[in-house]
Amino acid sequence: MGKLYYPHAADLTVADKLVLGHLEKDYENFEVKPDASPVDAAEESDDSATKRTEYVSPSPEDTQDSERQTIEYLKNINDPKSDDFQTTVFSTWDLPDIKNPILRKWIIDPYVYWAKGIVRTETDVIMITHLLTYLCTSVPSALYLFYNFRWWHGVLHSAVQLYYMGPYTLLMHQHIHMRGVLNKKYALVDAIFPYIFDPLMGHTWNSYFFHHVKHHHIEGNGPNDLSSTVRYQRDSALHFLHYVGRFYLLVWFDLPRYFLRNNKTSLALKAGGCEIANYIFLYTLYRFVNSRATIFVYLIPLALMRIALMTGNWGQHAFVDEVEPDSDFRSSITLIDAPSNRYCYNDGYHTSHHLNPRRHWREHPVAFLRQKQQYADEHALVFYNIDYFMLTVTLLRKDYDKLARCLVPMGEQRRLTMGQRAEMLRRKTRRFSEEEIAEKWGKQYAKLK
């Protein structure tokens, strides 16, 4: 009988607990002999005072019915017309867990009612919570640093921004794919706030949109993707440093050049123009306003965000199938963990996102359950108890045993021993040669001599 190595994290979202529970039940039932049936030991022994009954796995019909009920429940909590509907208000706490009647009546419920009228999707009250948090902390802190700089304040400000960066980036991830997160009545605010918050969080103006939506999702981690991992040995620290360094220093040049090569002159001008305009803005603040404040308010977040983006993308696309590397199921992964899903808008469901980039973040768990069998048939990789950052660190340490223990086996993966799982994962981090790229993607993508 299969059993996951680690216990479930206590702070998983409700949806993640349900999804992981079904995956674990599948694994537990996989190795149970089909002829197992209850046996009453009293009929065969004089020790009739003790009744022994062997374990009986649920029938396939019971399992399927349980999954259908879960899918229906997850659909209902996303549907404002359902009695089971639940909006997301905070990252740390789920709304049903806030029981204090005074707090609910006079603060939480009126706030939720007000915020639902501002967000585009009623599930997304959390986005108003986050935007108000940034507006009331990051903005006044930054302004005061420019007015009256103190070293301790600068360090504290940068530390808080580092804490904000992940949730904000994934809020913007929804923004750039859905062309906004606020009600259409607030379209002007929706268009303006990224120009204020993006530089504070380490993004240059519109670079995330142009690189992620207009480039990364077009190329899909293929060899023509500027953030592709396929030409790198993904457990090599040296290759990782080259990967990060190339993006860090040259993305401002490489992205417009990519658009020009693909006859997208307008995108090249917009991407290059926004990037250069942002650098001019930062230079002006540094040179003519307050250099020390500019360093802590803008330059440190920019430096950290570039590293974070590439570290996350490395983890998301570190495991690429050696047989079918252009499959979305086999070139990205799914994480069931709290940092990615509770605090960063279900970012762990990266395969689901590549299958449908416009899928709303709350829909990923139910979409995963609906396609669970296809994930298994396509040999997709699902991990738990690890986030993208720690996955990258673990990979660079070549600790495949730890990664194998974090794997949630599906389909034929359930037959593998821990050692075989570790070896399977090792194979999927091997760099592709130019000959292999020509064979798998086409000669036009390979750098053949």
Side-chain angles (χ1 to χ4, degrees):
M1 182 182 298
K3 190 72 175 176
L4 296 181
Y5 188 87
Y6 298 105
H8 297 190
D11 55 345
L12 289 178
T13 64
V14 171
D16 274 3
K17 289 176 183 176
L18 292 170
V19 169
L20 188 56
H22 282 294
L23 294 177
E24 187 169 32
K25 185 61 67 177
D26 288 346
Y27 185 31
E28 289 176 350
N29 295 338
F30 182 73
E31 295 179 337
V32 175
K33 295 181 180 179
D35 60 349
S37 58
V39 176
D40 191 343
E43 297 179 1
E44 302 178 0
S45 170
D46 290 335
D47 186 16
S48 56
T50 304
K51 187 171 183 177
R52 306 177 182 88
T53 303
E54 292 183 6
Y55 172 79
V56 183
S57 65
S59 68
E61 292 78 13
D62 290 340
T63 301
Q64 291 171 7
D65 186 58
S66 176
E67 285 186 11
R68 282 194 294 268
Q69 291 179 24
T70 299
I71 289 171
E72 188 65 25
Y73 171 72
L74 292 177
K75 284 173 55 182
N76 288 341
I77 64 174
N78 292 338
D79 182 3
K81 297 179 181 178
S82 170
D83 293 336
D84 294 326
F85 173 71
Q86 295 176 18
T87 187
T88 304
V89 183
F90 306 105
S91 297
T92 306
W93 310 284
D94 295 321
L95 191 58
D97 295 335
I98 303 175
K99 304 293 187 182
N100 187 297
I102 298 176
L103 186 64
R104 287 296 299 264
K105 181 178 180 179
W106 297 105
I107 298 178
I108 302 296
D109 291 346
Y111 168 70
V112 169
Y113 178 80
W114 169 78
K116 280 182 181 179
I118 297 178
V119 289
R120 183 172 301 183
T121 306
E122 289 188 31
T123 52
D124 295 351
V125 169
I126 186 174
M127 295 186 179
I128 300 299
T129 304
H130 281 178
L131 290 174
L132 288 175
T133 300
Y134 309 144
L135 183 64
C136 295
T137 57
S138 298
V139 172
S141 175
L143 290 173
Y144 193 76
L145 277 169
F146 276 95
Y147 171 72
N148 185 21
F149 180 83
R150 292 289 185 271
W151 286 106
W152 65 268
H153 185 185
V155 172
L156 180 62
H157 179 92
S158 294
V160 172
Q161 293 309 109
L162 177 61
Y163 177 75
Y164 287 162
M165 281 179 188
Y168 176 78
T169 298
L170 273 302
L171 185 157
M172 285 305 301
H173 185 246
Q174 188 72 16
H175 189 284
I176 61 179
H177 277 290
M178 301 297 185
R179 303 296 192 271
V181 295
L182 303 183
N183 190 296
K184 294 295 179 66
K185 294 184 297 184
Y186 304 99
L188 182 61
V189 177
D190 216 4
I192 290 174
F193 82 76
Y195 289 92
I196 298 171
F197 290 139
D198 275 10
L200 292 172
M201 303 291 179
H203 292 279
T204 49
W205 291 323
N206 294 319
S207 60
Y208 192 25
F209 170 75
F210 290 122
H211 188 280
H212 184 78
V213 174
K214 295 298 185 180
H215 170 63
H216 175 63
H217 275 281
I218 301 299
E219 299 296 342
N221 198 53
N224 209 29
D225 189 339
L226 296 175
S227 55
S228 173
T229 59
V230 299
R231 286 190 169 92
Y232 293 94
Q233 179 66 34
R234 273 90 66 193
D235 62 1
S236 166
L238 197 61
H239 281 224
F240 175 72
L241 290 174
H242 181 277
Y243 178 79
V244 173
R246 175 65 187 261
F247 178 86
Y248 206 92
L249 299 174
L250 295 176
V251 66
W252 65 273
F253 173 73
D254 281 342
L255 188 59
R257 187 177 65 162
Y258 163 84
F259 288 133
L260 286 174
R261 285 202 312 265
N262 288 273
N263 298 316
K264 298 177 179 179
T265 307
S266 176
L267 283 177
L269 293 173
K270 290 177 182 178
C274 287
E275 193 83 356
I276 293 171
N278 205 129
Y279 294 150
I280 293 172
F281 167 72
L282 296 178
Y283 175 78
T284 301
L285 290 177
Y286 182 88
R287 180 71 177 81
F288 301 107
V289 183
N290 189 322
S291 60
R292 294 181 298 177
T294 304
I295 289 172
F296 285 93
V297 173
Y298 291 113
L299 298 184
I300 289 178
L302 176 62
L304 294 175
M305 178 55 74
R306 294 275 158 114
I307 295 173
L309 286 172
M310 288 297 95
T311 302
N313 197 76
W314 185 273
Q316 288 168 344
H317 296 285
F319 301 100
V320 181
D321 189 71
E322 65 276 19
V323 177
E324 198 174 337
D326 56 347
S327 164
D328 286 327
F329 286 102
R330 302 186 184 201
S331 65
S332 59
I333 63 174
T334 300
L335 299 186
I336 302 177
D337 74 312
S340 301
N341 297 335
R342 174 170 285 282
Y343 300 103
C344 292
Y345 301 92
N346 281 332
D347 187 44
Y349 291 89
H350 199 64
T351 300
S352 175
H353 174 60
H354 269 273
L355 291 171
N356 182 356
R358 290 184 61 81
R359 182 175 284 143
H360 188 270
W361 67 277
R362 280 275 298 258
E363 297 291 337
H364 288 307
V366 66
F368 176 88
L369 271 186
R370 281 171 169 163
Q371 292 182 275
K372 181 165 67 71
Q373 188 57 53
Q374 188 175 5
Y375 275 75
D377 293 342
E378 294 283 351
H379 307 283
L381 296 177
V382 178
F383 296 89
Y384 80 118
N385 200 53
I386 194 168
D387 60 25
Y388 290 118
F389 179 81
M390 287 310 300
L391 188 147
T392 296
V393 171
T394 305
L395 195 57
L396 296 179
R397 294 176 59 221
K398 303 183 191 298
D399 190 354
Y400 286 97
D401 291 335
K402 169 68 180 295
L403 294 171
R405 292 193 293 269
C406 291
L407 183 72
V408 182
M410 300 178 69
E412 293 302 309
Q413 297 166 1
R414 295 174 293 189
R415 298 185 185 277
L416 303 177
T417 65
M418 281 293 184
Q420 290 170 330
R421 291 174 197 170
E423 187 54 38
M424 173 195 69
L425 295 176
R426 189 188 303 273
R427 287 198 307 272
K428 297 184 188 305
T429 63
R430 185 181 60 82
R431 69 183 300 187
F432 286 78
S433 68
E434 296 304 319
E435 289 74 20
E436 289 172 320
I437 288 172
E439 178 187 349
K440 300 294 184 181
W441 282 275
K443 291 184 178 180
Q444 69 271 29
Y445 294 105
K447 301 175 182 177
L448 297 172
K449 295 180 180 180

